[in-house]
Amino acid sequence: MKNITTLFLFILLLLPGLSRSQSLPVGTGILEDYYRRAQLLGKVDSSISFTARPFFPTDPSALRLRSGTTPLRDRYTQGSLHLPVLQSPSPSVPPSPLLPLVQSPQSPPSSTRPSHFLVLLPITLQQQWNSNHPYSLNDGEMIPARGYQTMVSGGFFAKAGFLTVQLRPEFVYAQNPPFDGFGYSKGQPDYVWQGYYDFLNRIDLPERFGNKPYSHLSPGQSSIRLNFGPISTGVSTENMWWGPGIRNSLLMSNTAGGFLHFTLNTLRPIRTRIGSFEGQIIAGRLDNSGFYPDTSATWKARAWYKPKKDDWRYFNGLVISYQPKWVPGLFVGLTRSYMVYESEMGNFPVISPVNKKNTNGGTEISQGGNQLRSLFARWLMPKSHAEAYFEYGRDDLSYNLRDLILEPDYARAYIIGFRKLFMLNEPREEYIQFNAEMTQIEQNTTNKSRSMTYFYGHPWVTQGYTQRGQLLGAGIGPGSDMQNMSITWNRGLKLIGIQLERYVHNNDFHYLYIKDIRANWVDFNVALLGEYDYKQFLFNAKAEYITSLNYEHLYYPLPGSINTFWAPGRNVVDFQLNLGVSYRF
């Protein structure tokens, strides 16, 4: 990591100037979803899918906010500081390259804008506090931890000709105090403990990241790219988000931190006679967490837990989105990903056969490893200020077409979502937003008679679908489900609202080993949401009250409760507070 950071700094010193085209990092507070909502209002190009992120809103021809035929006033980027380089080819100063970009009527035409210049990226401080136990989704380099933690990021963006450099490292610190985990009750029988270690033998998901405060400095949202029109290629450590989901994504989200990868991706839709295309193909490296489960819980634990292979994993993946020319507003696409150990890696297995019959019925690819894939669709309805979307994924390939027809729901997961804006005052961009999304990772009964058990877990690539101990896909994790609903009042970048969630933890493990219908671990969450912009500052806040029924799959009847089968059980309460602030120069 030190060498990568040094290389970024060295290139910055060599650059004669800077330009625009920096990415909007996945998970950027306030701004990222603002663009997607603006598309529902008809203020953003309707050919942009929002299914292959990060995207590049500062590319002059990629993403502009507009009101009818007149660009919106540049009210969100006033006060930005530009750092033009000496002997710039043009004295003209472009509109703020800091986000979000809103084209100003006074902006010079693209032909007169300087092609070399330097900008400071926003400085962001994000803080999180959990009162009782970890609760962590879509927070990047942050870890699942009790107590206080913080993440700080900032940096530079530069361009010289075709070359762009974005240096935006991230530093995370977490108190990481102890908490009651799976082993806090010694009442579980041995067969449950055996099932617990069998689960951990298929995935690298530490319950706690060590037994002391945690800190980590990463390159974060950094990249070195060569850009040619709508195409970009280079090396990056940025987070990615694939698919149309808002709360969850099946194959790529920002629950884990970014990882080092080579990328070939679009900067904006490529328009053809049959429609528009967007996409990305990557080849990268996934690392282990380095934190291992406690094997002192029962005397048989050392025999049940199998140490993981000390090797990094090669990751190859792609996402493609297509908007048919004849159906405006419709986006369809697919994602595929492969993981193999470095010692077994090939070149680009995402172009390998799509069924096991072609590989003699064994693994998905000749080297071994594991594949996930999904199909998705997003239906954009600007006139109704609404969108609907779904994603359907598989964690194991069908043997052949007959197998696919017989059991299409084997090893499957899916996401279904809907969003609608109810206008209150269109000139002021004031409206009520309703959003609902359902994610199902829990497997159905077809899995009981076949080898696959856990979505994201794997018996051969025993780190599973993870990076440094956190999931690449849906943050709710293997065997889990989530139903999410929110209602907010919005005006521009300002937002106030409430969010309700029901989060079911690893029902696959529960029905395999716990087998008590009273003991499903289910969280019911109520959160207050707030976002606010003031001059160069962006603020976001979330206060969430989490009621965990049967925490860690343990059912304890309340003392003095009626002695019946359905006697009330004990609840565990956690309070999570998120506070963030960004300063745009």
Side-chain angles (χ1 to χ4, degrees), residues 223-283:
S223 65
I224 301 175
R225 296 173 175 270
L226 293 173
N227 306 292
F228 306 95
I231 302 296
S232 175
T233 185
V235 61
S236 171
T237 57
E238 296 171 287
N239 275 109
M240 294 163 284
W241 187 288
W242 294 350
I246 296 174
R247 183 62 168 151
N248 284 295
S249 175
L250 292 184
L251 263 69
M252 193 63 68
S253 74
N254 65 322
T255 291
F259 58 90
L260 183 65
H261 61 274
F262 295 97
T263 177
L264 175 65
N265 61 272
T266 56
L267 295 174
R268 58 181 183 268
I270 297 176
R271 293 172 173 83
T272 71
R273 293 182 178 181
I274 62 172
S276 300
F277 292 86
E278 295 174 81
Q280 181 177 32
I281 183 169
I282 67 168

Side-chain angles (χ1 to χ4, degrees), residues 365-378:
I365 54 177
S366 58
Q367 298 98 331
N370 185 39
Q371 175 192 196
L372 287 83
R373 60 179 175 173
S374 76
L375 301 174
F376 62 80
R378 177 176 179 241

Side-chain angles (χ1 to χ4, degrees), residues 94-110:
S96 170
L98 300 177
L99 306 171
L101 174 69
V102 184
Q103 290 297 115
S104 170
Q106 290 76 35
S107 299
S110 58

Side-chain angles (χ1 to χ4, degrees), residues 17 96 139 153 268 324 381 446 515 577:
S96 170
D139 51 13
S153 66
R268 58 181 183 268
M381 298 165 275
T446 62
K515 300 181 180 180
L577 181 64

Side-chain angles (χ1 to χ4, degrees), residues 151-419:
M151 180 169 68
V152 181
S153 66
F156 307 88
F157 174 81
K159 180 179 179 183
F162 297 116
L163 175 67
T164 63
V165 176
Q166 180 167 296
L167 177 62
R168 192 173 187 176
E170 296 173 335
F171 175 75
V172 171
Y173 169 80
Q175 284 183 324
N176 197 30
F179 60 92
D180 290 337
F182 185 82
Y184 82 93
S185 170
K186 303 299 182 181
Q188 297 284 18
D190 276 352
Y191 70 85
V192 172
W193 279 106
Q194 184 176 6
Y196 174 72
Y197 287 110
D198 178 67
F199 170 69
L200 294 179
N201 285 337
R202 299 165 182 263
I203 201 163
D204 182 17
L205 282 182
E207 189 173 52
R208 186 180 174 207
F209 282 60
N211 55 10
K212 60 183 180 180
Y214 172 94
S215 62
H216 180 63
L217 175 64
S218 75
Q221 311 307 310
S222 300
S223 65
I224 301 175
R225 296 173 175 270
L226 293 173
N227 306 292
F228 306 95
I231 302 296
S232 175
T233 185
V235 61
S236 171
T237 57
E238 296 171 287
N239 275 109
M240 294 163 284
W241 187 288
W242 294 350
I246 296 174
R247 183 62 168 151
N248 284 295
S249 175
L250 292 184
L251 263 69
M252 193 63 68
S253 74
N254 65 322
T255 291
F259 58 90
L260 183 65
H261 61 274
F262 295 97
T263 177
L264 175 65
N265 61 272
T266 56
L267 295 174
R268 58 181 183 268
I270 297 176
R271 293 172 173 83
T272 71
R273 293 182 178 181
I274 62 172
S276 300
F277 292 86
E278 295 174 81
Q280 181 177 32
I281 183 169
I282 67 168
R285 168 178 174 148
L286 301 177
D287 293 306
N288 302 342
S289 69
F291 300 104
Y292 308 105
D294 180 11
T295 55
S296 64
T298 74
W299 68 279
K300 294 182 180 180
R302 291 185 182 273
W304 289 331
Y305 178 68
K306 308 299 181 185
K308 300 186 185 302
K309 188 174 182 178
D310 186 17
D311 192 5
W312 62 272
R313 287 152 290 145
Y314 170 67
F315 181 92
N316 185 207
L318 66 83
V319 57
I320 299 173
S321 176
Y322 167 56
Q323 184 186 51
K325 177 181 179 180
W326 306 275
V327 191
L330 175 65
F331 302 91
V332 294
L334 62 88
T335 62
R336 293 186 76 184
S337 68
Y338 279 97
M339 295 182 303
V340 293
Y341 286 115
E342 180 271 337
S343 58
E344 303 164 347
M345 65 183 285
N347 295 317
F348 293 96
V350 290
I351 60 174
S352 66
V354 295
N355 62 56
K356 289 186 174 182
K357 181 178 179 179
N358 293 339
T359 56
N360 299 317
T363 58
E364 288 91 339
I365 54 177
S366 58
Q367 298 98 331
N370 185 39
Q371 175 192 196
L372 287 83
R373 60 179 175 173
S374 76
L375 301 174
F376 62 80
R378 177 176 179 241
W379 182 255
L380 173 66
M381 298 165 275
K383 291 184 179 180
S384 301
H385 308 312
E387 66 173 311
Y389 56 88
F390 83 91
E391 183 177 13
Y392 186 91
R394 290 282 298 265
D395 193 7
D396 198 11
L397 286 175
S398 301
Y399 179 75
N400 55 19
L401 180 60
R402 179 183 176 87
D403 181 24
L404 177 63
I405 295 173
L406 289 173
E407 292 188 333
D409 54 350
Y410 168 62
R412 63 89 185 98
Y414 60 86
I415 297 172
I416 301 173
F418 174 78
R419 170 151 57 178

Side-chain angles (χ1 to χ4, degrees), residues 45-114:
D45 183 357
S46 62
S47 69
I48 299 172
S49 69
F50 288 89
T51 61
R53 309 194 315 261
F55 58 94
F56 302 83
T58 50
D59 187 284
S61 57
L63 188 57
R64 298 178 180 179
L65 296 175
R66 59 179 180 268
S67 177
T69 58
T70 304
L72 290 175
R73 179 171 166 261
D74 187 9
R75 57 190 174 193
Y76 302 131
T77 56
Q78 292 175 348
S80 298
L81 173 66
H82 297 275
L83 300 177
V85 178
L86 294 177
Q87 298 179 348
S88 174
S90 170
S92 303
V93 178
S96 170
L98 300 177
L99 306 171
L101 174 69
V102 184
Q103 290 297 115
S104 170
Q106 290 76 35
S107 299
S110 58
S111 60
T112 64
R113 294 171 188 150

